[in-house]
Amino acid sequence: MSNQDILWGIAPIGWRNDDMPEIGKENTVQQLLSDIVVAGFQGTEVGGFFPEAKVLNKELKLRNLKIAGQWFSSFIIRDGIEAVSDEFHKHCQYLKDVHADVAVVSEQTYSIQGSDKNIFTEKPSFNNAEWEKLCEGLNDLGRIAEQYGLKLVYHHHMGTGIQTAQEVDCLMEHTDANHVHLLYDTGHIYVSDGDCMSMLKKHIGRIKHVHFKDVRKRILEECKINGKSFSQSFLSGMFTVPGDGSIDFTEVFQVLVDHDYKGWIVVEAEQNPQIANPLEYALIAKTYIDENLLVHT
């Protein structure tokens, strides 16, 4: 594997959070993209505050940056695949216009990630009929994504019906591997299950997009004890960038290298930018990557 097989990005969520727009609202798209260049990354994912494709493409070209993908909240169980498909077509057209590679999908029916509920004990679950409806719908969305030259990558996420390794196993078993791929997120599965290696090794053949999110284990345990919500947890500092937390990314990266992973690895860490300076943490992550991961390839 050559270094050209992997593209390194960093997500906009360190600068501005779509779920909490009041946080980091002073950070413009231009500032975000310029910080990414300074930190030495090759691209980013689309945030909810990003402009129309034509405007964004100009800003990207000025800085020689690429777009990896963008989050899409699906409500297949709640609304049905027909209603979701219409929105997803628009989503994919935008991603095609900005020359992205993947469409990140997460089923948000019953999700508590934006609520005040205890993120560690009150997650939703799906019944058999809901699982069947969801998996069939995701297969359909995967086919739509392909029409736009994109891969659908499913994002397992805290506070949703597909959070745990067991739930990801079910998703992988009941969706078509040709159309539904996996976004592997180190932070979410570590917080959920206390282990990020088992899922990686088990589903490496389905993984087409990667998020490197680190976790501060001490703060994680405090958030569990206090029954905090998702937003309360990340505002407390539960997540951070690689090299600043408890996850050993050398082991994670070696598995990806050994299995000839090709695609994006995107650094992502929900933090309050007024506390965790976005550029400072982007540089921490890139230094860690350069000195601990790329040195071995």
Side-chain angles (χ1 to χ4, degrees):
M1 187 198 76
S2 69
N3 288 338
Q4 283 72 37
D5 292 330
I6 291 178
L7 294 167
W8 291 93
I10 187 164
I13 204 164
W15 283 260
R16 285 172 69 168
N17 193 310
D18 289 344
D19 294 330
M20 303 183 74
E22 68 277 10
I23 292 179
K25 60 184 178 181
E26 68 278 3
N27 293 317
T28 65
V29 171
Q30 291 84 352
Q31 180 68 53
L32 158 70
L33 296 178
S34 294
D35 282 354
I36 289 173
V37 173
V38 171
F41 289 94
Q42 294 164 278
T44 187
E45 294 179 349
V46 173
F49 58 97
F50 278 34
E52 62 182 271
K54 184 178 179 181
V55 175
L56 179 58
N57 284 337
K58 180 178 180 180
E59 298 294 341
L60 294 168
K61 187 176 181 181
L62 286 170
R63 297 166 178 82
N64 193 29
L65 292 175
K66 297 181 175 71
I67 290 294
Q70 183 183 13
W71 170 282
F72 179 83
S73 294
S74 66
F75 291 90
I76 294 169
I77 294 171
R78 186 191 73 184
D79 299 339
I81 188 59
E82 287 187 14
V84 174
S85 294
D86 290 341
E87 288 302 310
F88 193 62
H89 272 286
K90 298 173 187 174
H91 182 81
C92 289
Q93 183 60 60
Y94 179 86
L95 288 177
K96 180 181 179 181
D97 291 344
V98 298
H99 315 293
D101 297 306
V102 298
V104 177
V105 175
S106 183
E107 178 66 16
Q108 292 298 295
T109 299
Y110 311 135
S111 172
I112 64 164
Q113 68 186 71
S115 76
D116 291 330
K117 291 185 177 181
N118 184 333
I119 196 66
F120 305 100
T121 62
E122 297 185 74
K123 72 171 294 300
S125 59
F126 302 142
N127 62 35
N128 289 339
E130 289 169 335
W131 268 107
E132 183 175 352
K133 184 177 183 180
L134 174 60
C135 290
E136 289 179 359
L138 288 172
N139 287 338
D140 289 344
L141 293 188
R143 294 186 186 94
I144 291 171
E146 289 153 21
Q147 296 173 23
Y148 296 87
L150 302 162
K151 285 185 173 70
L152 183 154
V153 291
Y154 190 89
H155 194 334
H156 56 97
H157 201 287
M158 288 296 298
T160 73
I162 302 178
Q163 169 189 299
T164 67
Q166 184 176 9
E167 288 160 347
V168 171
D169 290 348
C170 185
L171 178 73
M172 295 294 96
E173 181 181 353
H174 294 99
T175 52
D176 190 331
N178 294 312
H179 305 300
V180 178
H181 313 283
L182 183 62
L183 186 163
Y184 165 69
D185 187 301
T186 54
H188 280 278
I189 195 59
Y190 184 89
V191 170
S192 174
D193 287 34
D195 164 43
C196 63
M197 294 306 300
S198 299
M199 177 194 290
L200 173 63
K201 293 175 180 177
K202 185 170 187 177
H203 297 299
I204 187 67
R206 296 284 290 273
I207 294 170
K208 300 299 180 186
H209 197 58
V210 174
H211 281 174
F212 272 11
K213 187 198 305 285
D214 211 340
V215 177
R216 296 182 177 102
K217 192 173 182 179
R218 179 184 60 81
I219 296 177
L220 163 61
E221 295 305 322
E222 290 174 359
C223 291
K224 279 185 178 179
I225 291 169
N226 293 312
K228 290 191 174 183
S229 69
F230 185 69
S231 59
Q232 289 168 344
S233 295
F234 80 70
L235 288 175
S236 298
M238 182 173 75
F239 293 129
T240 186
V241 298
D244 189 49
S246 305
I247 295 175
D248 179 5
F249 286 89
T250 61
E251 188 179 7
V252 175
F253 187 65
Q254 193 59 53
V255 172
L256 292 168
V257 170
D258 290 346
H259 289 83
D260 199 28
Y261 174 77
K262 295 178 175 66
W264 285 91
I265 297 178
V266 177
V267 170
E268 184 188 55
E270 291 94 332
Q271 298 194 87
N272 184 342
Q274 294 170 340
I275 296 173
N277 180 283
L279 176 56
E280 179 184 354
Y281 277 83
L283 289 165
I284 289 170
K286 191 60 168 59
T287 299
Y288 175 83
I289 290 164
D290 290 344
E291 294 182 354
N292 296 276
L293 306 185
L294 296 183
V295 71
H296 300 300
T297 59

PDB file of all heavy atoms in Angstrom, residues 194-227:
ATOM      1  N   GLY A 194     -16.503  -0.126  24.516  1.00  0.00           N
ATOM      2  CA  GLY A 194     -15.227  -0.231  25.212  1.00  0.00           C
ATOM      3  C   GLY A 194     -14.133  -0.893  24.409  1.00  0.00           C
ATOM      4  O   GLY A 194     -13.073  -1.237  24.941  1.00  0.00           O
ATOM      5  N   ASP A 195     -14.365  -1.084  23.128  1.00  0.00           N
ATOM      6  CA  ASP A 195     -13.410  -1.774  22.256  1.00  0.00           C
ATOM      7  C   ASP A 195     -13.656  -1.313  20.834  1.00  0.00           C
ATOM      8  O   ASP A 195     -14.789  -1.335  20.353  1.00  0.00           O
ATOM      9  CB  ASP A 195     -13.615  -3.291  22.368  1.00  0.00           C
ATOM     10  CG  ASP A 195     -12.963  -4.063  21.242  1.00  0.00           C
ATOM     11  OD1 ASP A 195     -11.815  -3.727  20.884  1.00  0.00           O
ATOM     12  OD2 ASP A 195     -13.607  -4.990  20.706  1.00  0.00           O
ATOM     13  N   CYS A 196     -12.581  -0.909  20.165  1.00  0.00           N
ATOM     14  CA  CYS A 196     -12.756  -0.469  18.775  1.00  0.00           C
ATOM     15  C   CYS A 196     -12.086  -1.407  17.777  1.00  0.00           C
ATOM     16  O   CYS A 196     -12.182  -1.190  16.572  1.00  0.00           O
ATOM     17  CB  CYS A 196     -12.242   0.956  18.586  1.00  0.00           C
ATOM     18  SG  CYS A 196     -10.468   1.168  18.883  1.00  0.00           S
ATOM     19  N   MET A 197     -11.422  -2.452  18.247  1.00  0.00           N
ATOM     20  CA  MET A 197     -10.692  -3.326  17.340  1.00  0.00           C
ATOM     21  C   MET A 197     -11.545  -4.462  16.773  1.00  0.00           C
ATOM     22  O   MET A 197     -11.366  -4.876  15.624  1.00  0.00           O
ATOM     23  CB  MET A 197      -9.467  -3.910  18.045  1.00  0.00           C
ATOM     24  CG  MET A 197      -8.411  -2.886  18.417  1.00  0.00           C
ATOM     25  SD  MET A 197      -7.843  -1.874  17.013  1.00  0.00           S
ATOM     26  CE  MET A 197      -7.183  -3.143  15.938  1.00  0.00           C
ATOM     27  N   SER A 198     -12.458  -4.995  17.566  1.00  0.00           N
ATOM     28  CA  SER A 198     -13.233  -6.165  17.125  1.00  0.00           C
ATOM     29  C   SER A 198     -14.056  -5.858  15.886  1.00  0.00           C
ATOM     30  O   SER A 198     -14.058  -6.627  14.919  1.00  0.00           O
ATOM     31  CB  SER A 198     -14.149  -6.647  18.253  1.00  0.00           C
ATOM     32  OG  SER A 198     -13.385  -7.031  19.374  1.00  0.00           O
ATOM     33  N   MET A 199     -14.769  -4.731  15.894  1.00  0.00           N
ATOM     34  CA  MET A 199     -15.574  -4.349  14.737  1.00  0.00           C
ATOM     35  C   MET A 199     -14.702  -4.124  13.512  1.00  0.00           C
ATOM     36  O   MET A 199     -15.037  -4.549  12.399  1.00  0.00           O
ATOM     37  CB  MET A 199     -16.385  -3.085  15.025  1.00  0.00           C
ATOM     38  CG  MET A 199     -17.189  -2.590  13.817  1.00  0.00           C
ATOM     39  SD  MET A 199     -17.821  -0.920  14.000  1.00  0.00           S
ATOM     40  CE  MET A 199     -19.056  -1.195  15.258  1.00  0.00           C
ATOM     41  N   LEU A 200     -13.564  -3.470  13.718  1.00  0.00           N
ATOM     42  CA  LEU A 200     -12.651  -3.203  12.607  1.00  0.00           C
ATOM     43  C   LEU A 200     -12.218  -4.498  11.941  1.00  0.00           C
ATOM     44  O   LEU A 200     -12.280  -4.630  10.709  1.00  0.00           O
ATOM     45  CB  LEU A 200     -11.434  -2.437  13.128  1.00  0.00           C
ATOM     46  CG  LEU A 200     -10.288  -2.218  12.145  1.00  0.00           C
ATOM     47  CD1 LEU A 200     -10.734  -1.361  10.969  1.00  0.00           C
ATOM     48  CD2 LEU A 200      -9.099  -1.586  12.854  1.00  0.00           C
ATOM     49  N   LYS A 201     -11.775  -5.450  12.723  1.00  0.00           N
ATOM     50  CA  LYS A 201     -11.285  -6.710  12.170  1.00  0.00           C
ATOM     51  C   LYS A 201     -12.406  -7.535  11.540  1.00  0.00           C
ATOM     52  O   LYS A 201     -12.215  -8.175  10.503  1.00  0.00           O
ATOM     53  CB  LYS A 201     -10.584  -7.519  13.267  1.00  0.00           C
ATOM     54  CG  LYS A 201      -9.298  -6.868  13.755  1.00  0.00           C
ATOM     55  CD  LYS A 201      -8.692  -7.633  14.923  1.00  0.00           C
ATOM     56  CE  LYS A 201      -7.407  -6.987  15.406  1.00  0.00           C
ATOM     57  NZ  LYS A 201      -6.829  -7.682  16.587  1.00  0.00           N
ATOM     58  N   LYS A 202     -13.572  -7.502  12.144  1.00  0.00           N
ATOM     59  CA  LYS A 202     -14.684  -8.323  11.658  1.00  0.00           C
ATOM     60  C   LYS A 202     -15.245  -7.815  10.341  1.00  0.00           C
ATOM     61  O   LYS A 202     -15.619  -8.591   9.461  1.00  0.00           O
ATOM     62  CB  LYS A 202     -15.789  -8.378  12.714  1.00  0.00           C
ATOM     63  CG  LYS A 202     -16.938  -9.316  12.348  1.00  0.00           C
ATOM     64  CD  LYS A 202     -17.867  -9.524  13.532  1.00  0.00           C
ATOM     65  CE  LYS A 202     -18.902 -10.589  13.230  1.00  0.00           C
ATOM     66  NZ  LYS A 202     -19.766 -10.853  14.411  1.00  0.00           N
ATOM     67  N   HIS A 203     -15.307  -6.481  10.189  1.00  0.00           N
ATOM     68  CA  HIS A 203     -15.994  -5.903   9.025  1.00  0.00           C
ATOM     69  C   HIS A 203     -15.058  -5.120   8.111  1.00  0.00           C
ATOM     70  O   HIS A 203     -15.515  -4.273   7.335  1.00  0.00           O
ATOM     71  CB  HIS A 203     -17.147  -5.018   9.498  1.00  0.00           C
ATOM     72  CG  HIS A 203     -18.211  -5.773  10.239  1.00  0.00           C
ATOM     73  ND1 HIS A 203     -18.943  -6.789   9.655  1.00  0.00           N
ATOM     74  CD2 HIS A 203     -18.642  -5.667  11.525  1.00  0.00           C
ATOM     75  CE1 HIS A 203     -19.802  -7.272  10.556  1.00  0.00           C
ATOM     76  NE2 HIS A 203     -19.637  -6.619  11.690  1.00  0.00           N
ATOM     77  N   ILE A 204     -13.780  -5.405   8.160  1.00  0.00           N
ATOM     78  CA  ILE A 204     -12.807  -4.655   7.367  1.00  0.00           C
ATOM     79  C   ILE A 204     -13.152  -4.676   5.883  1.00  0.00           C
ATOM     80  O   ILE A 204     -12.911  -3.692   5.169  1.00  0.00           O
ATOM     81  CB  ILE A 204     -11.371  -5.201   7.609  1.00  0.00           C
ATOM     82  CG1 ILE A 204     -10.327  -4.323   6.914  1.00  0.00           C
ATOM     83  CG2 ILE A 204     -11.254  -6.664   7.199  1.00  0.00           C
ATOM     84  CD1 ILE A 204     -10.189  -2.949   7.468  1.00  0.00           C
ATOM     85  N   GLY A 205     -13.762  -5.747   5.413  1.00  0.00           N
ATOM     86  CA  GLY A 205     -14.116  -5.837   3.998  1.00  0.00           C
ATOM     87  C   GLY A 205     -15.251  -4.916   3.581  1.00  0.00           C
ATOM     88  O   GLY A 205     -15.403  -4.627   2.388  1.00  0.00           O
ATOM     89  N   ARG A 206     -16.018  -4.444   4.545  1.00  0.00           N
ATOM     90  CA  ARG A 206     -17.152  -3.554   4.239  1.00  0.00           C
ATOM     91  C   ARG A 206     -16.820  -2.090   4.491  1.00  0.00           C
ATOM     92  O   ARG A 206     -17.604  -1.199   4.145  1.00  0.00           O
ATOM     93  CB  ARG A 206     -18.375  -3.932   5.103  1.00  0.00           C
ATOM     94  CG  ARG A 206     -18.968  -5.308   4.850  1.00  0.00           C
ATOM     95  CD  ARG A 206     -19.791  -5.416   3.590  1.00  0.00           C
ATOM     96  NE  ARG A 206     -21.049  -4.702   3.618  1.00  0.00           N
ATOM     97  CZ  ARG A 206     -22.203  -5.203   4.090  1.00  0.00           C
ATOM     98  NH1 ARG A 206     -22.226  -6.407   4.626  1.00  0.00           N
ATOM     99  NH2 ARG A 206     -23.319  -4.488   4.023  1.00  0.00           N
ATOM    100  N   ILE A 207     -15.687  -1.817   5.143  1.00  0.00           N
ATOM    101  CA  ILE A 207     -15.349  -0.446   5.544  1.00  0.00           C
ATOM    102  C   ILE A 207     -14.822   0.345   4.347  1.00  0.00           C
ATOM    103  O   ILE A 207     -13.817  -0.019   3.744  1.00  0.00           O
ATOM    104  CB  ILE A 207     -14.312  -0.453   6.683  1.00  0.00           C
ATOM    105  CG1 ILE A 207     -14.922  -1.054   7.950  1.00  0.00           C
ATOM    106  CG2 ILE A 207     -13.815   0.968   6.966  1.00  0.00           C
ATOM    107  CD1 ILE A 207     -13.923  -1.334   9.055  1.00  0.00           C
ATOM    108  N   LYS A 208     -15.527   1.432   4.011  1.00  0.00           N
ATOM    109  CA  LYS A 208     -15.132   2.279   2.880  1.00  0.00           C
ATOM    110  C   LYS A 208     -14.905   3.735   3.287  1.00  0.00           C
ATOM    111  O   LYS A 208     -14.660   4.592   2.439  1.00  0.00           O
ATOM    112  CB  LYS A 208     -16.207   2.218   1.782  1.00  0.00           C
ATOM    113  CG  LYS A 208     -16.456   0.813   1.222  1.00  0.00           C
ATOM    114  CD  LYS A 208     -15.216   0.222   0.568  1.00  0.00           C
ATOM    115  CE  LYS A 208     -15.490  -1.179   0.009  1.00  0.00           C
ATOM    116  NZ  LYS A 208     -14.247  -1.808  -0.503  1.00  0.00           N
ATOM    117  N   HIS A 209     -15.014   4.008   4.583  1.00  0.00           N
ATOM    118  CA  HIS A 209     -14.774   5.363   5.083  1.00  0.00           C
ATOM    119  C   HIS A 209     -14.439   5.226   6.566  1.00  0.00           C
ATOM    120  O   HIS A 209     -14.998   4.355   7.255  1.00  0.00           O
ATOM    121  CB  HIS A 209     -16.018   6.236   4.897  1.00  0.00           C
ATOM    122  CG  HIS A 209     -15.764   7.715   4.994  1.00  0.00           C
ATOM    123  ND1 HIS A 209     -14.879   8.382   4.193  1.00  0.00           N
ATOM    124  CD2 HIS A 209     -16.296   8.663   5.819  1.00  0.00           C
ATOM    125  CE1 HIS A 209     -14.875   9.675   4.488  1.00  0.00           C
ATOM    126  NE2 HIS A 209     -15.725   9.869   5.478  1.00  0.00           N
ATOM    127  N   VAL A 210     -13.539   6.059   7.057  1.00  0.00           N
ATOM    128  CA  VAL A 210     -13.060   5.921   8.435  1.00  0.00           C
ATOM    129  C   VAL A 210     -13.042   7.271   9.128  1.00  0.00           C
ATOM    130  O   VAL A 210     -12.610   8.279   8.555  1.00  0.00           O
ATOM    131  CB  VAL A 210     -11.641   5.307   8.460  1.00  0.00           C
ATOM    132  CG1 VAL A 210     -11.086   5.291   9.885  1.00  0.00           C
ATOM    133  CG2 VAL A 210     -11.647   3.895   7.878  1.00  0.00           C
ATOM    134  N   HIS A 211     -13.506   7.278  10.378  1.00  0.00           N
ATOM    135  CA  HIS A 211     -13.368   8.438  11.259  1.00  0.00           C
ATOM    136  C   HIS A 211     -12.421   8.072  12.391  1.00  0.00           C
ATOM    137  O   HIS A 211     -12.659   7.102  13.116  1.00  0.00           O
ATOM    138  CB  HIS A 211     -14.709   8.852  11.853  1.00  0.00           C
ATOM    139  CG  HIS A 211     -15.569   9.635  10.922  1.00  0.00           C
ATOM    140  ND1 HIS A 211     -16.871   9.986  11.246  1.00  0.00           N
ATOM    141  CD2 HIS A 211     -15.335  10.149   9.689  1.00  0.00           C
ATOM    142  CE1 HIS A 211     -17.397  10.682  10.227  1.00  0.00           C
ATOM    143  NE2 HIS A 211     -16.481  10.788   9.284  1.00  0.00           N
ATOM    144  N   PHE A 212     -11.345   8.836  12.542  1.00  0.00           N
ATOM    145  CA  PHE A 212     -10.437   8.703  13.670  1.00  0.00           C
ATOM    146  C   PHE A 212     -10.861   9.705  14.737  1.00  0.00           C
ATOM    147  O   PHE A 212     -10.576  10.901  14.644  1.00  0.00           O
ATOM    148  CB  PHE A 212      -8.988   8.970  13.244  1.00  0.00           C
ATOM    149  CG  PHE A 212      -8.253   7.752  12.741  1.00  0.00           C
ATOM    150  CD1 PHE A 212      -8.918   6.568  12.468  1.00  0.00           C
ATOM    151  CD2 PHE A 212      -6.877   7.795  12.539  1.00  0.00           C
ATOM    152  CE1 PHE A 212      -8.242   5.445  11.992  1.00  0.00           C
ATOM    153  CE2 PHE A 212      -6.187   6.681  12.082  1.00  0.00           C
ATOM    154  CZ  PHE A 212      -6.860   5.501  11.814  1.00  0.00           C
ATOM    155  N   LYS A 213     -11.542   9.206  15.761  1.00  0.00           N
ATOM    156  CA  LYS A 213     -11.993  10.024  16.885  1.00  0.00           C
ATOM    157  C   LYS A 213     -11.417   9.409  18.153  1.00  0.00           C
ATOM    158  O   LYS A 213     -11.562   8.212  18.382  1.00  0.00           O
ATOM    159  CB  LYS A 213     -13.534  10.030  16.946  1.00  0.00           C
ATOM    160  CG  LYS A 213     -14.122  10.983  17.978  1.00  0.00           C
ATOM    161  CD  LYS A 213     -15.566  10.644  18.295  1.00  0.00           C
ATOM    162  CE  LYS A 213     -16.480  10.585  17.098  1.00  0.00           C
ATOM    163  NZ  LYS A 213     -16.825  11.921  16.566  1.00  0.00           N
ATOM    164  N   ASP A 214     -10.730  10.212  18.945  1.00  0.00           N
ATOM    165  CA  ASP A 214     -10.145   9.707  20.184  1.00  0.00           C
ATOM    166  C   ASP A 214     -11.089   9.987  21.351  1.00  0.00           C
ATOM    167  O   ASP A 214     -12.023  10.808  21.245  1.00  0.00           O
ATOM    168  CB  ASP A 214      -8.774  10.355  20.424  1.00  0.00           C
ATOM    169  CG  ASP A 214      -7.818   9.440  21.176  1.00  0.00           C
ATOM    170  OD1 ASP A 214      -8.289   8.493  21.830  1.00  0.00           O
ATOM    171  OD2 ASP A 214      -6.590   9.675  21.110  1.00  0.00           O
ATOM    172  N   VAL A 215     -10.846   9.298  22.458  1.00  0.00           N
ATOM    173  CA  VAL A 215     -11.699   9.386  23.642  1.00  0.00           C
ATOM    174  C   VAL A 215     -10.834   9.573  24.877  1.00  0.00           C
ATOM    175  O   VAL A 215      -9.829   8.877  25.060  1.00  0.00           O
ATOM    176  CB  VAL A 215     -12.550   8.099  23.805  1.00  0.00           C
ATOM    177  CG1 VAL A 215     -13.381   8.164  25.091  1.00  0.00           C
ATOM    178  CG2 VAL A 215     -13.445   7.890  22.594  1.00  0.00           C
ATOM    179  N   ARG A 216     -11.219  10.532  25.721  1.00  0.00           N
ATOM    180  CA  ARG A 216     -10.555  10.691  27.014  1.00  0.00           C
ATOM    181  C   ARG A 216     -11.292   9.787  28.008  1.00  0.00           C
ATOM    182  O   ARG A 216     -12.399  10.102  28.464  1.00  0.00           O
ATOM    183  CB  ARG A 216     -10.609  12.152  27.460  1.00  0.00           C
ATOM    184  CG  ARG A 216      -9.848  13.121  26.549  1.00  0.00           C
ATOM    185  CD  ARG A 216      -9.913  14.541  27.092  1.00  0.00           C
ATOM    186  NE  ARG A 216      -9.147  15.491  26.299  1.00  0.00           N
ATOM    187  CZ  ARG A 216      -9.687  16.346  25.418  1.00  0.00           C
ATOM    188  NH1 ARG A 216     -11.011  16.357  25.218  1.00  0.00           N
ATOM    189  NH2 ARG A 216      -8.924  17.179  24.735  1.00  0.00           N
ATOM    190  N   LYS A 217     -10.668   8.667  28.320  1.00  0.00           N
ATOM    191  CA  LYS A 217     -11.348   7.636  29.107  1.00  0.00           C
ATOM    192  C   LYS A 217     -11.801   8.134  30.475  1.00  0.00           C
ATOM    193  O   LYS A 217     -12.892   7.790  30.943  1.00  0.00           O
ATOM    194  CB  LYS A 217     -10.428   6.421  29.267  1.00  0.00           C
ATOM    195  CG  LYS A 217     -11.133   5.191  29.820  1.00  0.00           C
ATOM    196  CD  LYS A 217     -10.237   3.978  29.794  1.00  0.00           C
ATOM    197  CE  LYS A 217     -10.978   2.746  30.304  1.00  0.00           C
ATOM    198  NZ  LYS A 217     -10.124   1.523  30.275  1.00  0.00           N
ATOM    199  N   ARG A 218     -11.008   8.961  31.117  1.00  0.00           N
ATOM    200  CA  ARG A 218     -11.374   9.467  32.440  1.00  0.00           C
ATOM    201  C   ARG A 218     -12.659  10.289  32.372  1.00  0.00           C
ATOM    202  O   ARG A 218     -13.565  10.130  33.213  1.00  0.00           O
ATOM    203  CB  ARG A 218     -10.236  10.323  33.003  1.00  0.00           C
ATOM    204  CG  ARG A 218     -10.538  10.918  34.387  1.00  0.00           C
ATOM    205  CD  ARG A 218      -9.413  11.826  34.855  1.00  0.00           C
ATOM    206  NE  ARG A 218      -9.185  12.956  33.959  1.00  0.00           N
ATOM    207  CZ  ARG A 218      -9.914  14.072  33.958  1.00  0.00           C
ATOM    208  NH1 ARG A 218     -10.937  14.199  34.808  1.00  0.00           N
ATOM    209  NH2 ARG A 218      -9.623  15.056  33.137  1.00  0.00           N
ATOM    210  N   ILE A 219     -12.760  11.134  31.361  1.00  0.00           N
ATOM    211  CA  ILE A 219     -13.967  11.961  31.224  1.00  0.00           C
ATOM    212  C   ILE A 219     -15.158  11.099  30.800  1.00  0.00           C
ATOM    213  O   ILE A 219     -16.287  11.322  31.240  1.00  0.00           O
ATOM    214  CB  ILE A 219     -13.716  13.106  30.222  1.00  0.00           C
ATOM    215  CG1 ILE A 219     -12.627  14.037  30.781  1.00  0.00           C
ATOM    216  CG2 ILE A 219     -15.004  13.887  29.956  1.00  0.00           C
ATOM    217  CD1 ILE A 219     -12.233  15.164  29.871  1.00  0.00           C
ATOM    218  N   LEU A 220     -14.894  10.099  29.955  1.00  0.00           N
ATOM    219  CA  LEU A 220     -15.955   9.160  29.574  1.00  0.00           C
ATOM    220  C   LEU A 220     -16.572   8.522  30.817  1.00  0.00           C
ATOM    221  O   LEU A 220     -17.806   8.455  30.947  1.00  0.00           O
ATOM    222  CB  LEU A 220     -15.385   8.086  28.643  1.00  0.00           C
ATOM    223  CG  LEU A 220     -16.218   6.811  28.451  1.00  0.00           C
ATOM    224  CD1 LEU A 220     -17.576   7.124  27.851  1.00  0.00           C
ATOM    225  CD2 LEU A 220     -15.463   5.815  27.568  1.00  0.00           C
ATOM    226  N   GLU A 221     -15.735   8.043  31.719  1.00  0.00           N
ATOM    227  CA  GLU A 221     -16.250   7.390  32.929  1.00  0.00           C
ATOM    228  C   GLU A 221     -17.030   8.373  33.794  1.00  0.00           C
ATOM    229  O   GLU A 221     -18.057   8.012  34.381  1.00  0.00           O
ATOM    230  CB  GLU A 221     -15.086   6.783  33.717  1.00  0.00           C
ATOM    231  CG  GLU A 221     -14.367   5.655  33.001  1.00  0.00           C
ATOM    232  CD  GLU A 221     -15.296   4.544  32.562  1.00  0.00           C
ATOM    233  OE1 GLU A 221     -16.241   4.221  33.325  1.00  0.00           O
ATOM    234  OE2 GLU A 221     -15.112   3.990  31.454  1.00  0.00           O
ATOM    235  N   GLU A 222     -16.569   9.622  33.883  1.00  0.00           N
ATOM    236  CA  GLU A 222     -17.296  10.641  34.643  1.00  0.00           C
ATOM    237  C   GLU A 222     -18.668  10.902  34.031  1.00  0.00           C
ATOM    238  O   GLU A 222     -19.665  11.045  34.754  1.00  0.00           O
ATOM    239  CB  GLU A 222     -16.482  11.933  34.690  1.00  0.00           C
ATOM    240  CG  GLU A 222     -15.222  11.860  35.536  1.00  0.00           C
ATOM    241  CD  GLU A 222     -14.377  13.123  35.432  1.00  0.00           C
ATOM    242  OE1 GLU A 222     -14.766  14.046  34.676  1.00  0.00           O
ATOM    243  OE2 GLU A 222     -13.328  13.181  36.105  1.00  0.00           O
ATOM    244  N   CYS A 223     -18.724  10.965  32.700  1.00  0.00           N
ATOM    245  CA  CYS A 223     -19.997  11.209  32.012  1.00  0.00           C
ATOM    246  C   CYS A 223     -20.968  10.049  32.233  1.00  0.00           C
ATOM    247  O   CYS A 223     -22.179  10.257  32.409  1.00  0.00           O
ATOM    248  CB  CYS A 223     -19.754  11.419  30.519  1.00  0.00           C
ATOM    249  SG  CYS A 223     -18.907  12.956  30.121  1.00  0.00           S
ATOM    250  N   LYS A 224     -20.434   8.821  32.243  1.00  0.00           N
ATOM    251  CA  LYS A 224     -21.276   7.651  32.510  1.00  0.00           C
ATOM    252  C   LYS A 224     -21.865   7.716  33.910  1.00  0.00           C
ATOM    253  O   LYS A 224     -23.068   7.503  34.115  1.00  0.00           O
ATOM    254  CB  LYS A 224     -20.449   6.362  32.368  1.00  0.00           C
ATOM    255  CG  LYS A 224     -20.262   5.868  30.964  1.00  0.00           C
ATOM    256  CD  LYS A 224     -19.533   4.530  30.987  1.00  0.00           C
ATOM    257  CE  LYS A 224     -19.363   3.963  29.598  1.00  0.00           C
ATOM    258  NZ  LYS A 224     -18.634   2.657  29.628  1.00  0.00           N
ATOM    259  N   ILE A 225     -21.012   8.006  34.877  1.00  0.00           N
ATOM    260  CA  ILE A 225     -21.458   8.065  36.272  1.00  0.00           C
ATOM    261  C   ILE A 225     -22.540   9.119  36.458  1.00  0.00           C
ATOM    262  O   ILE A 225     -23.521   8.916  37.193  1.00  0.00           O
ATOM    263  CB  ILE A 225     -20.259   8.368  37.203  1.00  0.00           C
ATOM    264  CG1 ILE A 225     -19.310   7.171  37.243  1.00  0.00           C
ATOM    265  CG2 ILE A 225     -20.731   8.730  38.612  1.00  0.00           C
ATOM    266  CD1 ILE A 225     -17.985   7.461  37.917  1.00  0.00           C
ATOM    267  N   ASN A 226     -22.399  10.238  35.766  1.00  0.00           N
ATOM    268  CA  ASN A 226     -23.342  11.355  35.909  1.00  0.00           C
ATOM    269  C   ASN A 226     -24.519  11.280  34.949  1.00  0.00           C
ATOM    270  O   ASN A 226     -25.386  12.170  34.955  1.00  0.00           O
ATOM    271  CB  ASN A 226     -22.594  12.675  35.724  1.00  0.00           C
ATOM    272  CG  ASN A 226     -21.599  12.945  36.848  1.00  0.00           C
ATOM    273  OD1 ASN A 226     -21.941  12.815  38.019  1.00  0.00           O
ATOM    274  ND2 ASN A 226     -20.366  13.297  36.510  1.00  0.00           N
ATOM    275  N   GLY A 227     -24.556  10.239  34.106  1.00  0.00           N
ATOM    276  CA  GLY A 227     -25.694  10.038  33.207  1.00  0.00           C
ATOM    277  C   GLY A 227     -25.899  11.157  32.209  1.00  0.00           C
ATOM    278  O   GLY A 227     -27.030  11.581  31.951  1.00  0.00           O
TER     279      GLY A 227
END
